[in-house]
Amino acid sequence: MTTTTRRPRMSDEERRAYAAQQRAALTAAVDAACAVLHTDPVWGALLTVAAHLPDRGPVNVIAITAQMPTATDVRGKAAWRDAGRHPAKGSTSLRIFQPMKGGGSRAAADAQSGGATPDPTAADTATEQGATGGEPGRRKIRTYKAAPVYDVSQTAGAEYQAPPAPAVDPARAAARLRAAADALAAECPGPDPEAAPADQARALLDVLAAALLTGPDVVPGQHAAEAASAAHLAARMLGLDPGPAPAPQLGGITCGDERMTPAIKDAAERVILAGRRLAAQATGHTTT
């Protein structure tokens, strides 16, 4: 006869301390990833994870890349249970930033135990974007917890059904991207009309990415690298030839904000959001 030993329940103070410890570890993992994000292998892994996980916010894409750069499908326990799967025995969860519930009193208690500074780019589409609410012109302040999630490679159970890849008609994608380029008044010679539709669409991604990601370079070639990376990400999401994606050489540079945010982290956010916007334009999911 086997016996099971139940873990003693943690007190509220112990739970807050544990949550703070998990947040600190996740923040440290993101910081460590940002320190090497300007290297081509890590930057390439980031774009691959971003293509596989289109519903994860940029900071969570960095967090997942730091913990498992081969991740392809990341969900919480409940979502895996709905799919008939569960964390495999001995697997260790990944962690992502997730907004905490509970309003001001919970946030105040959390802050006393080291709550993470709210960062809207940590949000995932399904949980946070567009959900700030509150009075016009005011942003709802949130604190974040380090929530456990699992990649499909860490799960077992029913046969895995991968999310279906989007069906993309290259000719329609090229037409939509051409219209988007015209709306932005993006100057370009245009793709070769004799080229295959997929090649036309890919060329237009480069044009649009360059039009979206502009501004003075902090280092030579910064925005050219960001534009190439955004076009690369969009192409991967659309099933097109991705092309090269050089990392912006922003290692060791911080932005001029009070948080001293790594410049490469801001670049990653711009690239991921621009790449997703381009993919959405190509599939007709947005007109902006």
Side-chain angles (χ1 to χ4, degrees):
M1 180 177 179
T2 60
T3 58
T4 58
T5 302
R6 293 185 178 180
R7 293 181 182 178
R9 296 185 62 178
M10 290 190 290
S11 66
D12 288 346
E13 183 177 350
E14 288 172 330
R15 277 195 295 271
R16 285 195 293 270
Y18 177 75
Q21 180 185 29
Q22 293 297 318
R23 276 194 305 271
L26 181 55
T27 299
V30 170
D31 290 344
C34 288
V36 293
L37 199 52
H38 64 285
T39 62
D40 286 337
V42 181
W43 184 257
L46 173 85
L47 297 178
T48 299
V49 171
H52 283 307
L53 307 176
D55 59 336
R56 298 296 179 190
V59 171
N60 276 337
V61 170
I62 298 174
I64 292 168
T65 302
Q67 298 167 86
M68 183 178 284
T70 57
T72 58
D73 189 353
V74 174
R75 314 181 197 181
K77 277 187 180 181
W80 281 124
R81 186 165 54 246
D82 291 343
R85 297 180 69 83
H86 55 83
K89 185 177 180 180
S91 61
T92 301
S93 68
L94 309 177
R95 295 277 173 168
I96 62 171
F97 292 106
Q98 189 176 86
M100 295 182 68
K101 299 177 181 179
S105 59
R106 177 70 175 273
D110 180 63
Q112 290 179 358
S113 61
T117 302
D119 183 348
T121 65
D124 292 335
T125 302
T127 59
E128 175 73 357
Q129 291 177 1
T132 54
E135 298 176 20
R138 295 187 63 185
R139 183 164 144 253
K140 195 171 184 179
I141 301 300
R142 291 186 183 273
T143 53
Y144 290 83
K145 64 181 179 181
V149 290
Y150 297 83
D151 180 60
V152 61
S153 63
Q154 300 175 292
T155 64
E159 182 179 358
Y160 173 63
Q161 299 292 330
V168 178
D169 180 337
R172 289 186 178 181
R176 292 184 181 114
L177 292 171
R178 175 74 268 179
D182 290 343
L184 283 176
E187 296 181 5
C188 65
D192 181 358
E194 300 300 321
D199 293 335
Q200 293 186 42
R202 183 63 186 82
L204 284 163
L205 288 176
D206 284 329
V207 170
L208 283 165
L212 287 174
L213 294 167
T214 60
D217 285 345
V218 175
V219 295
Q222 172 195 344
H223 284 89
E226 290 183 17
S229 295
H232 171 100
L233 173 57
R236 289 187 69 103
M237 295 176 69
L238 297 168
L240 302 174
D241 177 20
Q249 295 304 298
L250 294 167
I253 300 174
T254 57
C255 301
D257 58 14
E258 60 183 16
R259 297 183 185 178
M260 299 297 287
T261 304
I264 192 67
K265 184 178 180 183
D266 279 355
E269 177 188 350
R270 287 191 297 270
V271 165
I272 291 171
L273 296 179
R276 289 172 175 174
R277 175 180 175 182
L278 292 173
Q281 288 176 324
T283 54
H285 292 157
T286 181
T287 57
T288 60

